[in-house]
Amino acid sequence: LMIIDFHVHLMAAPKFLAHAYWDHWVRLARDLSGRPEEKIREKLPQCWDETGELLIRDMDGAGIDYSVISVIDHGLATAVGEADCSILEINRLYSDIARKYADRIIAFAGVDPRRGNALEILKTGINDFGMKGIKLLPPTGFYPNDKQLCYPIYEFAGEHGLPVLVHTGTEAAPLYSKYGHPIFMDEVAADFPDLKIILGHAGFCWWPEAVSIANCKSNIYLDIAGWQPRARLHPLEEFYKPLRAMINNIGSHRILFGSDWPALKLMMNSQKWVDMLKNPSDEAKALGIAPDEKEAANILGHTATKLLQLTV
């Protein structure tokens, strides 16, 4: 069984991500968990990885064969600001890590399309750095169906056969959730029918909308990165039942395993997250909502293997 985590980031502050983002993240974690801020801050360095070494250790512990690390560009987001490295340099560093661990890590280029040289940065990432896909993060402040900003990126991706991973769903402050609604990707999928589009997080709370759109746009895939809190707190109602609905509507061959590592590693470790699919609970099986062996294999790795054109 090939296991591929399709949704990973390296979020070390301040090299890859400004401290302001983590300040907001800590407040959200405090409100959701009830734990003191100082205790959460003490554990933050456990989430930071500048070299890929921590990621590889986590992958080894969970039996994950490959991870797709995607550059996220928060620099133009209100109240976040630029990281210490330029976005071009961050793309290069991601690609360096992917080359170092070529048998374990694949890198996707990322940039905010509002940057004047956004397309050139992506072209450099793909053509010069050897990155294998593109990541966009609309909640920083842009709509993913903006024809002026984003369509040149989709055209480039389509011409080169590159998958595009787009954040869908709500997002923590100081980012803006409205830009993450999956409805905006319906237009993109229709205008670029040969482009492979992954709706990151399957739209979170908007997952029914994401499924409905994917149901009539066969070039759309869903990843389940970030669903660990649902799986931990309310596994039957808020994880296995929605997952079964996704499988029944679009098939397990268009659903991807993802973790959003490292942001949620303090909520559920990678091994447990894999096991939610590989070894579903007896209760989920009894209710008929657990993925069967073939469905789990598709979600955990077979679908990603085909999208990434990996030789196994």
Side-chain angles (χ1 to χ4, degrees), residues 29-97:
R30 174 202 62 195
D31 295 340
L32 293 176
S33 69
R35 290 186 290 174
E37 277 193 30
E38 59 269 19
K39 295 295 183 182
I40 298 171
R41 287 188 183 279
E42 286 174 6
K43 293 188 175 183
L44 273 188
Q46 297 178 25
C47 298
W48 297 346
D49 185 7
E50 295 183 359
T51 65
E53 294 177 12
L54 178 58
L55 173 59
I56 291 293
R57 287 203 299 271
D58 272 20
M59 290 168 61
D60 288 344
I64 295 172
D65 298 283
Y66 282 92
S67 284
V68 178
I69 57 173
S70 295
V71 174
I72 45 178
D73 185 0
H74 287 84
L76 301 184
T78 303
V80 176
E82 301 285 2
D84 279 5
C85 294
S86 71
I87 191 60
L88 179 62
E89 179 68 3
I90 293 171
N91 276 273
R92 186 188 67 78
L93 292 170
Y94 265 58
S95 69
D96 287 347
I97 291 169

Side-chain angles (χ1 to χ4, degrees), residues 106 160-163 196 303-312:
I106 295 164
H160 291 77
L162 303 170
K196 301 300 184 184
T303 300
T305 299
K306 293 177 181 178
L307 265 180
L308 298 167
Q309 301 179 21
L310 293 175
T311 302
V312 296

Side-chain angles (χ1 to χ4, degrees), residues 212-230:
S212 295
I213 294 166
N215 196 30
C216 59
K217 301 292 192 301
S218 61
N219 56 329
I220 286 182
Y221 297 72
L222 308 179
D223 85 36
I224 57 170
W227 281 59
Q228 294 95 312
R230 290 169 170 257

Side-chain angles (χ1 to χ4, degrees), residues 9 31 35 40 50 66 83 102 105 109-110 117 121 135-136 142 191 194 208 216 219 237 244 269 288:
H9 308 292
D31 295 340
R35 290 186 290 174
I40 298 171
E50 295 183 359
Y66 282 92
I105 294 177
N117 60 342
I121 289 173
K135 168 66 189 285
L136 296 179
F142 63 91
D191 291 345
D194 296 322
C216 59
N219 56 329
E237 293 294 328
R244 172 49 55 194
N269 65 43

Side-chain angles (χ1 to χ4, degrees), residues 70 108-110 122 126 132-136 153 156-157 162-166:
S70 295
F108 278 19
L122 291 177
I126 301 301
K132 304 299 184 183
I134 292 172
K135 168 66 189 285
L136 296 179
I153 292 173
F156 171 73
L162 303 170
V164 178
L165 171 59
V166 181

Side-chain angles (χ1 to χ4, degrees), residues 142-155:
F142 63 91
Y143 289 105
N145 62 339
D146 186 307
K147 289 181 170 58
Q148 182 176 355
L149 289 176
C150 298
Y151 271 42
I153 292 173
Y154 301 137
E155 289 169 2

